[in-house]
Amino acid sequence: LSTGAFLYAQAGVVGRPLFLIFAQSVMGFGSGTLGVTRAYVAEVSPKKLRTRYLAYLALVRDAGFTVTPFAGSALAYFFTDEDGNEENVVQTSYFLLNMYTSPAYLLFICCVVETLMVVFFLEHKRREVMPKLTKMTSRRLKEASEPPAA
């Protein structure tokens, strides 16, 4: 997702529609990880707390979907004057920061911070899963649990 956001922000510098389509495709591929995060939370959380953790995940995801358009709009507003023309544009040969690219750069920065937090702070813990019982294992467990015949 961060790579797609960076490529999207660079589309103005590159200036080709095919590059914009490529950048959006990379962003879409990165957004496909939302299902993976639900599977990961289900894998590492205890069954008792799984619903709560999945609700937290949905809360954070939906809050992001709600807040980021407002943040992007505020950035776009900052880069326009009262007549709707571009203002406060920062441009070098490889970097363009304007009303169109600033939301993408904000998303890129957020994704990089989140990736660093995952790398340095997330502890992966697999939950213990009981092995599948076969007929032989079931018989042994049954024999072990029965009291000896007198």
Side-chain angles (χ1 to χ4, degrees):
L1 187 60
S2 59
T3 304
F6 182 75
L7 291 174
Y8 179 77
Q10 292 299 312
V13 176
V14 174
R16 294 190 148 172
L18 284 177
F19 186 81
L20 180 62
I21 293 170
F22 172 71
Q24 288 288 47
S25 299
V26 172
M27 282 184 74
F29 182 75
S31 297
T33 60
L34 292 174
V36 175
T37 57
R38 287 190 292 270
Y40 178 78
V41 168
E43 173 66 28
V44 298
S45 60
K47 195 171 187 174
K48 252 170 109 172
L49 298 173
R50 190 170 301 148
T51 304
R52 178 180 293 172
Y53 290 160
L54 287 170
Y56 289 155
L57 180 67
L59 172 75
V60 170
R61 182 194 64 228
D62 294 343
F65 286 151
T66 304
V67 171
T68 51
F70 291 109
S73 297
L75 283 170
Y77 179 76
F78 174 76
F79 285 100
T80 56
D81 61 10
E82 290 143 7
D83 297 329
N85 300 322
E86 286 190 56
E87 187 179 72
N88 304 326
V89 175
V90 178
Q91 184 171 6
T92 65
S93 57
Y94 297 108
F95 181 76
L96 174 64
L97 185 64
N98 61 15
M99 61 189 272
Y100 303 110
T101 61
S102 57
Y105 282 123
L106 175 66
L107 179 62
F108 172 71
I109 291 168
C110 290
C111 288
V112 168
V113 167
E114 184 235 349
T115 301
L116 291 173
M117 289 174 66
V118 166
V119 168
F120 291 111
F121 299 113
L122 182 69
E123 295 178 18
H124 178 70
K125 297 177 184 175
R126 291 191 68 117
R127 61 187 158 103
E128 296 290 324
V129 178
M130 289 290 292
K132 189 174 181 179
L133 295 177
T134 62
K135 289 182 181 180
M136 188 63 132
T137 309
S138 299
R139 192 176 315 138
R140 286 183 189 157
L141 288 172
K142 187 177 178 183
E143 289 171 1
S145 64
E146 290 178 356

